[in-house]
């Protein structure tokens, strides 16, 4: 079941997303969180940090697994996803860093690293909520449009459109890594709940296509239509603009 929650602005959508995580942490303080990077979850992380500072929630017993990491970037590189997570969440909440996990982008043997990470994800005994952003091409994690849905963690070649989209975070386009290690679509689909965050006009077409179009690996996020549990979509008005036009009844205001 897909629940689309309307947020007037990006901040409103981020607060809605933070509410989903807050509810989980209040009912299950030792929850396992599947986390994402990129611009979409930043506002939610800020809100969660504020709630943690006020003592409303705690990450003390939380474990986390992140979706992905760039190949070739060390954890202390300022564009690595390990660095992103430390600076946008982990350093500001009471999480035990030993309980946080990301693929190692510097692993000498990426295939072995993928198998290790599959083991890490499996050892969690299930992800309670998996946070996702959505790529302009419909990717989730770094699972790019393909002819099949990936199962486990894999080494992926980033598409030109993803490299273009991510170039905004780097000095030069040539600096953007061309490969990543990413949890597979199958692993994402194993979570108990999905929290998809989409912000801005650029996501409006792909969000509608993913949630209402054909289910196809050419639009990886479309598989969420077959998710066994609840998919909560927290999006702002811009990202919802096409859905509001075509399927207004599907949006909870
Ligand atoms: C990040 C990730 C990606 C992003 C997606 C959207 O860990 O796996 O799928 O969620 O590329 O990125 P933003 O949020 O920057 O638009």
């Amino acid at each position: 079941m897909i629940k689309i929650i309307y947020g007037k602005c990006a901040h409103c959508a981020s607060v809605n997303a933070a509410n989903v995580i807050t509810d989980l942490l209040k009912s299950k303080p030792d929850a396992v969180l599947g986390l994402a990077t990129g611009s979409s979850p930043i506002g939610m992380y800020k809100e969660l940090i504020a709630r943690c500072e006020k003592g409303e929630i705690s990450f003390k017993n939380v474990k986390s697994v992140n979706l992905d990491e760039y190949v070739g970037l060390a954890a202390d590189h300022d564009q690595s996803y390990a660095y992103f997570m430390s600076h946008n969440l982990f350093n500001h909440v009471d999480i035990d860093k030993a309980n946080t996990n990301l693929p190692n982008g510097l692993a000498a043997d990426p295939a072995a690293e993928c198998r290790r990470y599959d083991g890490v994800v499996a050892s969690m005994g299930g992800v309670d909520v998996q946070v996702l952003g959505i790529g302009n091409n419909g990717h989730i994690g770094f699972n790019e449009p393909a002819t099949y849905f990936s199962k486990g963690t894999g080494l992926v070649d980033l598409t030109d459109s993803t490299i273009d989209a991510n170039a905004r975070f780097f000095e030069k386009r040539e600096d953007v890594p061309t490969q990543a290690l990413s949890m597979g679509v199958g692993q994402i689909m194993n979570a108990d709940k999905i929290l998809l965050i989409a912000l801005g006009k650029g996501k409006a077409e792909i969000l509608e296509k993913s949630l209402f179009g054909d289910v196809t690996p050419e639009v990886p996020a479309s598989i969420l239509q077959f998710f066994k549990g609840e998919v909560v979509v927290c999006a702002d008005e811009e990202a919802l603009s096409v859905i509001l036009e075509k399927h207004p009844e599907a949006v909870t205001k």
Side-chain angles (χ1 to χ4, degrees), residues 36-40 67-68 133-135 139-141 168 203:
T37 58
S39 54
S40 306
L67 284 169
D68 40 23
I134 182 170
H139 73 211
I140 47 176
R168 68 192 194 279
K203 300 293 169 69

Side-chain angles (χ1 to χ4, degrees), residues 146-162:
T147 52
Y148 61 92
F149 289 110
S150 59
K151 293 189 209 169
T153 309
L155 173 65
V156 294
D157 292 326
L158 302 180
T159 61
D160 282 343
S161 89
T162 296

Side-chain angles (χ1 to χ4, degrees), residues 30-192:
D30 60 347
V32 178
L33 298 179
L35 298 175
T37 58
S39 54
S40 306
I42 290 179
M44 174 185 78
Y45 291 149
K46 282 205 175 107
E47 185 64 26
L48 291 173
I49 291 167
R51 293 179 190 189
C52 190
E53 280 167 356
K54 284 188 220 147
E56 290 172 16
I57 51 171
S58 168
F59 290 79
K60 207 156 71 88
N61 298 310
V62 165
K63 290 190 208 143
S64 71
V65 278
N66 260 79
L67 284 169
D68 40 23
E69 178 59 283
Y70 284 122
V71 167
L73 299 192
D76 61 356
H77 185 289
D78 67 2
Q79 290 307 327
S80 78
Y81 286 166
Y83 184 98
F84 174 103
M85 288 311 302
S86 291
H87 288 263
N88 286 291
L89 184 67
F90 300 154
N91 289 352
H92 310 288
V93 295
D94 57 348
I95 200 163
D96 179 350
K97 280 223 186 156
N99 289 334
T100 67
N101 299 278
L102 286 104
N104 174 8
L106 280 190
D109 180 348
E113 174 58 10
C114 291
R115 289 193 300 274
R116 181 195 72 83
Y117 204 64
D118 282 343
V120 169
V121 175
S123 74
M124 295 288 138
V127 169
D128 290 293
V129 172
Q130 175 65 57
V131 178
L132 295 177
I134 182 170
N136 297 330
N137 59 7
H139 73 211
I140 47 176
F142 269 138
N143 297 286
E144 301 282 37
T147 52
Y148 61 92
F149 289 110
S150 59
K151 293 189 209 169
T153 309
L155 173 65
V156 294
D157 292 326
L158 302 180
T159 61
D160 282 343
S161 89
T162 296
I163 294 171
D164 286 343
N166 290 357
R168 68 192 194 279
F169 299 116
F170 291 80
E171 238 172 70
K172 307 191 287 292
R173 190 185 186 278
E174 303 83 80
D175 294 342
V176 186
T178 55
Q179 290 186 309
L181 300 176
S182 176
M183 247 194 228
V185 173
Q187 280 168 310
I188 292 170
M189 291 291 279
N190 260 336
D192 278 355

